[in-house]
Amino acid sequence: MSPRTSTFWWYALPGLPLAALTLPVYVFVPAFYAELGVSLALIGTVLLGVRLLDAVSDPAIGFLSDRLRLPGGRRKPWMFVGLVPTMLAVWMVFVPSDTPSATYLFVWSAVLSVGWTLMILPYNAWGAELADDYDGRTAVTARREGMVVAGTLLATATPAVLAALGVIGTAAALEILALGLVILLPLTVALCLWRVPSPPDKSHQRVALGAGLRAIGANKSFVRLVSAYLINGWANGLPATLFVLFVTHVLVAPEMVGPLLFLYFLSGVLAIPGWVWLSRRWSKHRVWVGSMTLACATFIWVPFLGAGDVLWFAVICVLSGFAVGADLVLPAAIQADVVDVDTADTGEQRTGLYFALWSLATKLSLALAAGVAFPLLAFVGFQADTVPGLDSTNTNGSLFAVSMLYAGLPVILKLPALVLMWNFPLSREAQEDLQARISAAASPS
């Protein structure tokens, strides 16, 4: 049974600033720090190092948020605790000194990652527990991810709006974003904590750590889903990480970075209601497969683009944006169903731990994108700080490498994800059976 729809919207509010925080870290910050003199290889290493730290922090926070009984429920207190370090680190990462070092980037990125994890893991687990039916979970996720895309649009539009006002440069855009985030984040979190109830814990026993880990490994639906999600996330992380470099140096249209990103994410948010409607008519996993197929059919044309092909790339942004709308909503809704398998088998509702592993897969996929792409670009001699166009010192080969890493490799990576998800076992009927088992086990005999 699901709460009122208005509750879903109150819950979704923090998704806006949390997304406006996330996009610059992976899209603007790497290129910005490269412009400030930090080498691409070091930036890739730093981002990968932060993700290795997450390998410890994410499961720990997820496990503790499931187990600890704090005033305010299992999820709310953690979001409150994460606010201060997140806001401080946002400012330090987005508004660095003129000559930041790789160490500076690592330290403050690590603080930002831990603070963000303290907020986002309980937040996502809370959303998975707000509704317990197959389509209700899609409704919750769609509203949250709609806000996420709205926050992303806000972040992508900021440089273009500032440029129209005569304020040009990534540094100015990041500073304005940081200022907005330290205002919006506490406001939206406070409204969410006030208006949204804490769902009851459906656990009827506690599972020992060793037995719990074995149960996760034995949850074949989870292993299959998270494997597909990791691979697809890696495929999506490559264009996200290289977007600025591709538009600036391959299309030679640096002034179009903001408008094209805005078009991409606007297409994503407009497509969400359509993907939700399709998931009600067919299964969530089959519709997700369809969206990944659309992305592949779109990206195969990118390596044929060159300087000045902005209009054709805009069409690709629209179509791939449609596909990313499903990537945002459907996998997370399926993940909520996968948690039911574990709850039915173990008797403990470990949503926090499962979404910690989910978050770890998300971060690892993005780190793989940066950790693979930037060193490879450095290897082929690509230079991010050179002037784009005819006077560029980048060779045709290095620019082609940008195109292939941006779009060619993602198409290859998505193919095994398609295979993994086509015959995914958790249908609407299977999820209803799981909920019946959970309710029966939790009811007093």
Side-chain angles (χ1 to χ4, degrees):
M1 185 175 179
S2 300
R4 292 184 303 172
T5 301
S6 61
T7 300
F8 296 165
W9 284 114
W10 286 113
Y11 163 76
L13 277 179
L16 190 149
L18 286 171
L21 179 164
T22 306
L23 175 88
V25 171
Y26 291 104
V27 175
F28 295 131
V29 166
F32 177 54
Y33 275 75
E35 292 172 2
L36 294 177
V38 183
S39 75
L40 286 173
L42 277 177
I43 291 171
T45 303
V46 163
L47 293 178
L48 188 59
V50 172
R51 298 295 80 88
L52 292 175
L53 173 65
D54 292 335
V56 177
S57 65
D58 283 27
I61 292 170
F63 176 81
L64 291 173
S65 73
D66 285 335
R67 285 295 178 92
L68 294 183
R69 295 296 176 267
L70 301 173
R74 293 201 297 171
R75 312 302 178 196
K76 293 183 179 183
W78 296 92
M79 294 183 67
F80 180 78
V81 169
L83 266 175
V84 173
T86 300
M87 290 189 294
L88 175 61
V90 162
W91 188 265
M92 299 303 289
V93 172
F94 286 19
V95 192
S97 63
D98 291 336
T99 55
S101 65
T103 302
Y104 176 97
L105 178 61
F106 174 77
V107 169
W108 287 109
S109 293
V111 175
L112 178 57
S113 182
V114 172
W116 187 82
T117 299
L118 282 167
M119 299 185 69
I120 200 68
L121 286 187
Y123 178 61
N124 285 339
W126 187 9
E129 294 165 350
L130 276 178
D132 55 18
D133 60 285
Y134 188 85
D135 293 320
R137 284 169 172 169
T138 307
V140 175
T141 307
R143 285 162 177 79
R144 182 185 67 218
E145 298 306 322
M147 283 293 182
V148 165
V149 180
T152 304
L153 288 172
L154 179 65
T156 55
T158 299
V161 171
L162 291 177
L165 297 174
V167 182
I168 299 174
T170 306
L174 287 174
E175 185 171 352
I176 293 297
L177 279 171
L179 182 61
L181 285 169
V182 298
I183 296 171
L184 278 177
L185 195 57
L187 176 62
T188 56
V189 168
L191 287 171
C192 176
L193 297 180
W194 173 43
R195 298 290 298 182
V196 183
S198 295
D201 182 3
K202 294 186 177 181
S203 305
H204 62 85
Q205 64 179 13
R206 292 288 177 241
V207 182
L209 181 60
L213 293 176
R214 287 192 295 273
I216 292 172
N219 188 339
K220 294 181 180 179
S221 295
F222 171 72
V223 173
R224 190 165 169 176
L225 174 65
V226 81
S227 298
Y229 182 74
L230 174 61
I231 297 168
N232 186 63
W234 184 8
N236 290 343
L238 285 163
T241 302
L242 298 175
F243 190 94
V244 174
L245 297 180
F246 179 83
V247 175
T248 299
H249 294 278
V250 178
L251 299 183
V252 195
E255 74 283 357
M256 294 302 295
V257 168
L260 287 169
L261 267 178
F262 187 87
L263 179 64
Y264 172 74
F265 286 110
L266 177 63
S267 301
V269 74
L270 292 176
I272 286 176
W275 293 121
V276 171
W277 180 81
L278 288 172
S279 73
R280 287 173 177 159
R281 289 180 60 87
W282 293 285
S283 56
K284 288 183 277 194
H285 62 277
R286 287 284 172 86
V287 175
W288 185 30
V289 167
S291 75
M292 288 190 280
T293 304
L294 172 61
C296 290
T298 302
F299 272 134
I300 59 174
W301 303 104
V302 170
F304 297 100
L305 301 181
D309 290 331
V310 174
L311 180 59
W312 288 112
F313 187 66
V315 174
I316 288 171
C317 286
V318 170
L319 295 176
S320 58
F322 286 162
V324 88
D327 282 332
L328 290 169
V329 173
L330 299 179
I334 299 169
Q335 166 72 346
D337 299 334
V338 165
V339 176
D340 287 344
V341 176
D342 184 79
T343 306
D345 289 344
T346 67
E348 182 176 4
Q349 190 179 34
R350 301 187 295 168
T351 317
L353 179 57
Y354 268 83
F355 271 87
L357 298 175
W358 186 256
S359 175
L360 193 58
T362 303
K363 294 175 180 178
L364 179 57
S365 65
L366 291 168
L368 283 170
V372 169
F374 288 143
L376 282 177
L377 289 180
F379 177 75
V380 299
F382 176 80
Q383 297 180 21
D385 55 355
T386 190
V387 177
L390 294 176
D391 297 328
S392 173
T393 57
N394 288 317
T395 64
N396 289 335
S398 65
L399 294 176
F400 184 70
V402 174
S403 296
M404 290 304 296
L405 286 170
Y406 178 89
L409 183 55
V411 170
I412 296 170
L413 289 172
K414 282 180 179 287
L415 296 179
L418 291 169
V419 174
L420 283 168
M421 291 307 300
W422 180 250
N423 286 319
F424 191 71
L426 272 186
S427 63
R428 181 179 283 99
E429 293 74 22
Q431 193 271 337
E432 290 172 354
D433 290 342
L434 287 169
Q435 277 295 318
R437 285 177 56 194
I438 293 167
S439 299
S443 300
S445 52

